[in-house]
Amino acid sequence: HGKYCKWTNTTEPSASALWSDATPTINTASINALVPNIIYTFATVAAMQSASTLIDGAIYNTLGYYSRGDGGNASYYYSSTSTTIPNDSGSLFYPAGISGSNAGRFVWLRQKDVNVRQFGCKGDGSDDTNAFQGAIGYAESFTNALPVYVPPGKYVVSGLTLRKTGIYGNCTLPY
């Protein structure tokens, strides 16, 4: 279960106030206004999805995607009204017991770049194609595509579709 600490702001802005398509940076004032006094921290995405306490607007941090320290750490907020279907393995997650069009999602509080590890890439020589494409698809969903960061590792991918995203990092992409 998550640990928490108190924040002081309790006014919740609309989700669209967190960022805009034109400026790929997070609005920290909006984040501070969104938080209803609680931040939960989990070792992994799966642990976050199994959270027993779901508070609208609360922040849910992960320390890794599959395991603590694997580079897939990220911050999300919980939206009890979101019905957007997760399709990229990184920007939205269902909590346990919620699926399909039922309301409730963990929504990524993105930073200026998209890290492929936050979308489930392992970089250990196993097939990362789907997670890598998920990161690219998310980055390209904005008017001004976000840069995609690839941390050091060995990524096995095939058939990636790149339209307008810049990819950077120090990694090996075998063909």
Side-chain angles (χ1 to χ4, degrees), residues 56-81:
D56 202 38
I59 301 297
Y60 292 77
N61 293 319
T62 60
L63 300 176
Y65 194 93
Y66 298 107
S67 62
R68 179 186 299 234
D70 66 9
N73 53 298
S75 296
Y76 305 83
Y77 72 92
Y78 181 71
S79 170
S80 63
T81 59

Side-chain angles (χ1 to χ4, degrees), residues 56-117:
D56 202 38
I59 301 297
Y60 292 77
N61 293 319
T62 60
L63 300 176
Y65 194 93
Y66 298 107
S67 62
R68 179 186 299 234
D70 66 9
N73 53 298
S75 296
Y76 305 83
Y77 72 92
Y78 181 71
S79 170
S80 63
T81 59
S82 176
T83 57
T84 303
I85 304 298
N87 66 356
D88 61 24
S89 72
S91 66
L92 289 167
F93 291 101
Y94 291 114
I98 296 177
S99 63
S101 62
N102 296 321
R105 306 287 185 272
F106 293 106
V107 181
W108 183 35
L109 291 169
R110 70 174 167 83
Q111 302 301 308
K112 63 180 181 172
D113 298 346
V114 176
N115 181 333
V116 297
R117 297 272 176 113

Side-chain angles (χ1 to χ4, degrees), residues 21-25 108 110-119 132 134-151 162 164-169:
D21 283 347
T23 306
T25 56
W108 183 35
R110 70 174 167 83
Q111 302 301 308
K112 63 180 181 172
D113 298 346
V114 176
N115 181 333
V116 297
R117 297 272 176 113
Q118 293 170 326
F119 284 73
F132 211 103
I136 291 168
Y138 178 79
E140 291 182 343
S141 70
F142 295 89
T143 302
N144 296 324
L146 304 174
V148 175
Y149 172 63
V150 183
L162 298 172
K164 58 182 179 177
T165 297
I167 296 178
Y168 71 97

Side-chain angles (χ1 to χ4, degrees), residues 120-132:
C121 285
K122 294 181 178 178
D124 63 0
S126 59
D127 186 357
D128 282 324
T129 301
N130 290 336
F132 211 103

Side-chain angles (χ1 to χ4, degrees), residues 121 126-130 132-133 155-160 173-175:
C121 285
S126 59
D127 186 357
D128 282 324
T129 301
N130 290 336
F132 211 103
Q133 189 66 59
Y155 298 84
V156 176
V157 296
S158 63
L160 294 178
L173 289 172
Y175 295 97

